[in-house]
């Protein structure tokens, strides 16, 4: 297993290109299952999760070609010959459940392994299943698989009222509703930019959708969808992560492709902490106003609130802030595993249930630490960039799931960072 060695090297400045969004691409790729015509995705990120989704779709008989060094994905599902998404692939990545809705809606039946939980929580899929049942699906859960059938071979439109916001369940229901007979209304739908991106792509394929980005999405089912070409939206979590580099180290970084509307709540929090964020014609320019950021409190919420996927990274910053911050994690039940690792670097953090109280220190100290999940891994890298001495982050396969070419992007800003093959 590879590790990453980081040496604190003072202020970092330069430009960082932001890739297409992992969490948009992972829901756009299954849309190919809705049509027998080609779907081309541009601005695709080069990540191991994308390779896993590629493997899953190919196991179903879809064709997925990775072109232009992975920036373009050419997908086609005219020859689907297997409707079982196998546990061996699904267990590697939760987003695999997103093939259920489209496969069921287009073919009338699907067998998909239930995803396991993961490090940050149990992460059930009950809302996905309830939405599909509301649309007429017969679901039989046995042997760890969902055996799904649409009576008469087609789902029917329904009103789906989510008890709480779920990104994945909204995406599965949205994908399925495009080919259902009649009208579907999704209430308390997720509003994330990745949902908006999916709706825009589906509309290019001929879907009739209104309201994406609000809490109510209305879909008028159609008989078939055609092919399309669609650019994957910028990754707001990668963007927010790299915006923290000058905040924690000093210097000035311009995140190319960054858009303020993708990171509104996060940028407001940075501003309150003393970090200036400016929209330029190329992206977002970020620098801190004084030598040390101020402590701020954070509560994670569904979009447009502060994103849970930036909580670990923000904690790294607040470990060096002037004052005491309280971070409340409201989305996942176990998403503070980076805290004990940051403590090894001299951070002062007390975790009680869903709250973490961070008392800032002048400077962290480099140490050997272990990545436990995707966003925790990059939080440790950020801490290492600002720490005194060397930090070695082990188990960086977590990192490679969601961040492409981290070493290159950070070295371009003056970071001393290298991968140690393990
Ligand atoms: C998506 O996960 C993202 N993943 C996550 O990003 C992100 O943290 C999350 O949304 C919240 O924004 C992808 O898009 C691939 P949810 P998802 O359904 O869809 C519970 C990353 O780091 N829940 O909004 O799984 C669930 O356990 C990843 O890139 C149910 O109880 O998130 C969680 O506590 C991590 N039943 C909460 O709801 C369900 O049926 C929100 O989950 C579904 C979810």
């Amino acid at each position: 297993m590879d590790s990453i060695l980081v040496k604190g090297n003072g202020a970092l400045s330069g430009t960082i290109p932001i890739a297409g969004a992992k969490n948009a691409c992972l829901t756009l790729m299954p849309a190919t299952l809705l049509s027998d015509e080609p779907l081309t995705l541009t601005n695709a990120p080069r990540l191991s999760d994308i390779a896993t989704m590629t493997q899953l779709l190919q196991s179903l008989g879809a064709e997925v070609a990775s072109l232009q060094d992975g920036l373009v994905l050419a997908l086609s599902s005219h020859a689907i010959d297997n409707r079982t998404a196998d546990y061996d692939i699904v267990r590697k990545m939760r987003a695999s459940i997103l093939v259920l809705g489209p496969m069921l809606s287009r073919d009338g039946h699907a067998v998909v392994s239930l995803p396991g939980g993961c490090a940050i929580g149990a992460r059930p899929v009950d809302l996905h299943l309830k939405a599909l049942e509301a649309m007429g699906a017969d679901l039989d859960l046995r042997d760890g698989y969902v055996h799904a059938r649409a009576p008469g071979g087609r789902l029917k439109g329904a009103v789906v009222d989510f008890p709480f916001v779920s990104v994945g369940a909204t995406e599965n229901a949205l994908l399925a509703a495009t080919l259902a007979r009649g009208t579907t209304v999704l209430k308390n739908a997720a509003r994330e930019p990745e949902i908006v991106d999916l709706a825009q792509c589906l509309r290019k394929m001929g879907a009739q959708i209104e309201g994406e980005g609000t809490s109510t999405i209305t879909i008028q089912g159609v008989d078939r969808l055609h092919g399309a070409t669609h650019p994957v939206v910028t990754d707001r979590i990668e963007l927010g992560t790299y915006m923290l580099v000058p905040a924690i180290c000093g210097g000035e970084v311009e995140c190319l492709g960054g858009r303020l509307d993708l990171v509104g709540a996060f940028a407001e929090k940075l501003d309150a902490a003393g970090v200036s964020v400016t929209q330029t014609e190329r992206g977002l320019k970020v620098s801190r106003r004084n030598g040390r950021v101020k402590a701020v409190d954070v509560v994670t919420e569904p979009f447009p609130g502060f994103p849970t996927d930036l909580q670990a990274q923000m904690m790294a910053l607040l470990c060096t802030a002037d004052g005491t911050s309280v971070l409340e994690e409201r989305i996942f039940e176990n998403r503070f595993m980076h805290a004990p690792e940051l403590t090894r670097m001299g951070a002062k953090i007390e975790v009680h249930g869903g709250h973490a109280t961070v008392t800032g220190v002048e400077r962290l100290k480099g140490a050997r630490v272990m990545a436990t999940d995707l966003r925790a891994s990059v939080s440790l890298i950020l801490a290492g960039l600002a720490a005194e001495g060397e930090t070695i982050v082990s188990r960086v396969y977590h990192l490679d799931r969601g961040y492409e070419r981290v070493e290159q992007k950070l070295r371009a800003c003056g970071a001393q960072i290298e991968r140690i093959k393990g």
Side-chain angles (χ1 to χ4, degrees):
M1 283 186 272
D2 292 0
S3 300
I4 282 192
L5 168 65
V6 190
K7 289 179 190 167
N9 192 30
L12 299 178
S13 295
T15 59
I16 297 181
I18 304 301
K22 166 180 83 81
N23 291 348
C25 201
L26 288 174
T27 191
L28 288 165
M29 292 173 76
T32 184
L33 298 168
L34 293 168
S35 168
D36 55 8
E37 295 184 20
L39 172 64
T40 302
L41 298 175
T42 59
N43 193 40
R46 283 70 63 91
L47 302 166
S48 58
D49 269 9
I50 304 306
T52 303
M53 182 58 82
T54 296
Q55 186 191 3
L56 174 61
L57 291 170
Q58 288 172 338
S59 76
L60 300 174
E63 291 165 14
V64 185
S66 175
L67 311 170
Q68 294 179 35
D69 188 26
L71 277 173
V72 174
L73 296 172
L75 303 103
S76 170
S77 295
H78 68 282
I80 293 291
D81 55 7
N82 168 31
R83 286 178 187 75
T84 298
D86 194 80
Y87 173 67
D88 280 343
I89 302 178
V90 174
R91 69 184 171 80
K92 286 194 278 187
M93 184 184 64
R94 249 186 75 73
S96 305
I97 194 70
L98 294 174
V99 302
L100 176 59
M103 199 157 40
L104 178 59
S105 192
R106 179 165 164 229
D107 296 325
H109 73 279
V111 179
V112 177
S113 168
L114 286 167
C118 74
I120 63 177
R123 300 181 73 186
V125 290
D126 52 323
L127 270 64
H128 298 240
L129 304 183
K130 287 195 184 93
L132 295 174
E133 281 178 325
M135 297 166 74
D138 289 331
L139 303 181
D140 177 16
L141 271 63
R142 63 178 192 276
D143 314 326
Y145 283 77
V146 181
H147 297 258
R149 282 205 169 277
R154 191 171 183 186
L155 294 174
K156 59 183 177 33
V159 176
V160 179
D161 197 346
F162 290 110
F164 53 84
V165 171
S166 161
V167 171
T170 301
E171 290 165 344
N172 236 331
L174 174 55
L175 285 157
T178 57
L179 293 178
R181 187 192 315 279
T183 303
T184 297
V185 180
L186 305 181
K187 293 186 172 180
N188 202 15
R191 300 170 54 191
E192 273 69 3
E194 294 76 36
I195 308 266
V196 173
D197 203 38
L198 174 61
Q200 290 172 345
C201 178
L202 292 169
R203 193 175 289 120
K204 287 178 187 173
M205 296 172 71
Q208 294 181 21
I209 302 168
E210 288 175 7
E212 71 274 9
T214 74
S215 300
T216 302
I217 304 175
T218 303
I219 306 101
Q220 181 62 43
V222 295
D223 292 336
R224 65 185 299 279
L225 293 179
H226 48 74
T229 295
H230 182 76
V232 178
V233 69
T234 301
D235 192 322
R236 62 194 171 94
I237 305 304
E238 187 194 26
L239 170 60
T241 302
Y242 287 123
M243 289 167 68
L244 285 165
V245 170
I248 200 167
C249 297
E252 182 178 84
V253 170
E254 186 170 21
C255 298
L256 305 183
R259 287 172 21 201
L260 210 45
D261 65 299
L262 294 173
V263 287
F266 175 71
E268 280 168 25
K269 222 19 112 171
L270 284 187
D271 182 63
V275 178
S276 70
V277 179
T278 312
Q279 180 77 61
T280 66
E281 71 283 354
R282 297 201 308 174
L284 290 182
K285 193 170 276 188
V286 185
S287 60
R288 67 187 182 198
R289 287 191 281 271
N290 308 308
R292 193 176 173 197
V293 298
K294 294 196 292 291
V296 291
D297 293 340
V298 170
V299 178
T300 65
E301 295 175 305
F303 194 88
F306 189 102
T308 174
D309 292 349
L310 284 171
Q311 177 260 106
Q313 300 91 312
M314 189 70 177
M315 185 184 287
L317 173 67
L318 296 175
C319 287
T320 64
D322 180 7
T324 297
S325 311
V326 177
L327 294 98
E328 183 182 352
E329 172 56 58
R330 289 189 176 169
I331 306 295
F332 290 105
E333 65 266 31
N334 183 32
R335 203 169 196 178
F336 285 137
M337 286 173 296
H338 41 286
E341 300 303 311
L342 290 166
T343 304
R344 285 177 50 73
M345 299 176 71
K348 290 187 172 32
I349 308 169
E350 286 182 32
V351 174
H352 299 289
H355 291 78
T357 302
V358 179
T359 305
V361 297
E362 282 276 352
R363 188 115 197 255
L364 295 172
K365 302 261 184 307
R368 294 182 68 92
V369 292
M370 184 180 76
T372 50
D373 59 86
L374 167 56
R375 305 305 174 180
S377 54
V378 80
S379 151
L380 299 172
I381 299 253
L382 288 170
L385 289 171
E388 185 184 332
E390 288 188 355
T391 298
I392 296 181
V393 183
S394 63
R395 300 193 181 189
V396 289
Y397 58 84
H398 290 295
L399 189 69
D400 298 332
R401 293 190 52 184
Y403 291 89
E404 65 171 39
R405 307 180 177 167
V406 164
E407 302 100 288
Q408 293 89 321
K409 292 189 176 185
L410 289 172
R411 262 201 293 270
C413 294
Q416 288 194 11
I417 180 170
E418 61 185 281
R419 186 174 289 254
I420 305 167
K421 288 289 178 196

